[in-house]
Structures are given as structure tokens and as C-alpha cells.
Amino acid sequence: MDNEHGSELGTQEYWESSYNREIKNYKSHGDVGEIWFDEDSQQRVIDWLLKQEEITKEARVLDLGCGNGMFLVGLANEGFGQLTGVDYSPKAVELAQHIAQDNKLDISYKVADLTQPQDELGTFDVVHDKGTYDAVSLCPDSPKEKRALYLATVEKLLCSADSLFVITSCNWTEDELEQSFAKKFVKYHSIPTPTFKFGGKVGNVVTSVVFKKL
């Protein structure tokens, strides 16, 4: 995928329309909706977090671009108690709230544009992004500037040098993420993801990397 060309996936209108359909499906059939890409990746991240001794169930966790909120539902089911999800699509937040309420889970959801400062959200021990940096990168208007604003917001959301920024991307390689984040974040860990072979080379379908603040 060309990282510098815009797409409807980078527009709020696309996601509002998509989540409006999914709200109707959920209310009619109880279907929580589609996972944008690599459904297994959020479970890989949850499994990794559960193995980290420094991440307790009291950790404050923020999911950026939460969509239907199923990542946070997964953490809530593992006993995590301080969970927040944000999305710039009000319809996504509405869907996530319905799902959490119907499962009797205490998860906080808010509408937020992450290319703008979000001081009122507070700070977090773990900040998670699956596909949101990708969507920002696909914004038809000034994607490079939007990416920089997004990363500035993420930096302020991490409460300390030990806080973790966990990102899963289908658009950027690990090396590209390290290079793009170099002024604000340092790689802490790579979470293994499925590989494929093409033309004698090995690649990854998606990339999952954990960063810490510099």
C-alpha cells in the first residue's frame, strides 16, 4: 500500500457510514461487526500484555481508534478495570458503548480527534493502536502533518517513560515505524506476527511493535 496517497479509509465520513451500518446490524442480529484487519492481532497483543509483570490489572489502558471496542472487551474479560476507548467516529463510540453495556462491562468511551491535543483524557500506562495510525496516514488532506500531530498526542498520553505504546499496522513495516517515531519513541519489543514468503523473501502480513517514550 502506498503510504502517501489518500483513501476513503482516511475519512471520518467513511467510518461514520460503516459504523452506522454496524449499529443497525448489532441491534438487529447482535453482530458486533467486522474487524478491520487481522482479527488475531488484538488477541496477540492481549496475550503479550498478560505476560508482562509490570502491567497489572490496575493499569490504565487507552485504545486509540477503538472501533467496536472488542480489544477493550477482551482486556475487561481478563480482569483489567481501568479501560478507555476513543474514536473520532461518534457512531463507533455508540456501537462500543452498546456492546459494553450489553456485556455488563465498565469501559469508558469518548469521541476524540487524535490529531488534536487531548489533555482532558489524562495519561495512561498502556496506549494501544491497531490500524489508527494507518487510517491517519490515509487521510486525503496533509497526511504527513496529521501523522506528526497524532504522534504528538500519543506522546502526551503516556504517563511515564515506562508506559507502553503498542501499535499494530498493516501499512507500515517495523523499520518504517521505528524511523517515523525516532524523535519521540524507542522500540521496546516486537510482538511476533504471521509471515509469508514471496519471491524468496520473508515478510509480515502485519507489524506489531511496542514503543516507549524517549
Side-chain angles (χ1 to χ4, degrees):
M1 189 182 293
D2 189 330
N3 298 331
E4 295 301 335
H5 284 80
S7 159
E8 66 174 357
L9 291 171
T11 66
Q12 187 177 23
E13 291 77 16
Y14 171 85
W15 295 107
E16 278 289 86
S17 174
S18 175
Y19 284 113
N20 193 43
R21 286 194 305 274
E22 295 199 353
I23 286 171
K24 290 176 183 175
N25 286 338
Y26 180 72
K27 287 180 176 178
S28 298
H29 312 294
D31 180 1
V32 299
E34 294 181 9
I35 304 292
W36 181 15
F37 66 87
D38 191 30
E39 190 169 349
D40 296 332
S41 67
Q42 65 185 33
Q43 190 58 50
R44 283 195 295 270
V45 171
I46 290 171
D47 290 343
W48 184 83
L49 288 172
L50 289 170
K51 293 174 185 172
Q52 308 311 303
E53 291 183 4
E54 69 272 25
I55 302 298
T56 69
K57 301 293 175 67
E58 289 73 45
R60 286 172 50 80
V61 181
L62 176 66
D63 191 17
L64 304 174
C66 61
N68 62 11
M70 294 310 293
F71 173 74
L72 295 176
V73 169
L75 285 178
N77 287 335
E78 293 290 349
F80 284 79
Q82 298 193 72
L83 303 172
T84 302
V86 296
D87 204 293
Y88 78 159
S89 164
K91 292 295 183 183
V93 169
E94 183 182 340
L95 175 61
Q97 287 172 331
H98 281 305
I99 293 170
Q101 287 165 5
D102 289 348
N103 286 276
K104 297 180 171 57
L105 297 173
D106 185 16
I107 303 172
S108 174
Y109 290 107
K110 298 180 174 73
V111 176
D113 178 355
L114 295 162
T115 62
Q116 304 294 325
Q118 297 294 333
D119 298 335
E120 71 279 2
L121 286 176
T123 57
F124 297 83
D125 303 299
V126 177
V127 173
H128 173 256
D129 172 330
K130 176 181 173 283
T132 301
Y133 185 72
D134 291 349
V136 172
S137 302
L138 294 170
C139 179
D141 303 314
S142 309
K144 191 172 181 180
E145 180 187 348
K146 292 281 176 63
R147 289 200 302 271
L149 292 168
Y150 176 79
L151 292 177
T153 298
V154 172
E155 184 182 27
K156 291 180 179 177
L157 290 168
L158 295 169
C159 66
S160 73
D162 290 322
S163 299
L164 304 177
F165 174 34
V166 186
I167 180 168
T168 297
S169 171
C170 65
N171 197 9
W172 301 89
T173 66
E174 184 171 316
D175 287 344
E176 287 172 333
L177 290 174
E178 278 195 81
Q179 190 174 357
S180 298
F181 294 2
K183 292 182 179 178
K184 294 184 181 297
F185 307 103
V186 61
K187 186 178 81 173
Y188 174 66
H189 185 78
S190 300
I191 299 175
T193 60
T195 59
F196 65 91
K197 277 189 176 181
F198 183 78
K201 294 184 177 180
V202 177
N204 292 80
V205 180
V206 298
T207 301
S208 286
V209 191
V210 185
F211 290 91
K212 288 188 175 184
K213 283 203 288 190
L214 286 173

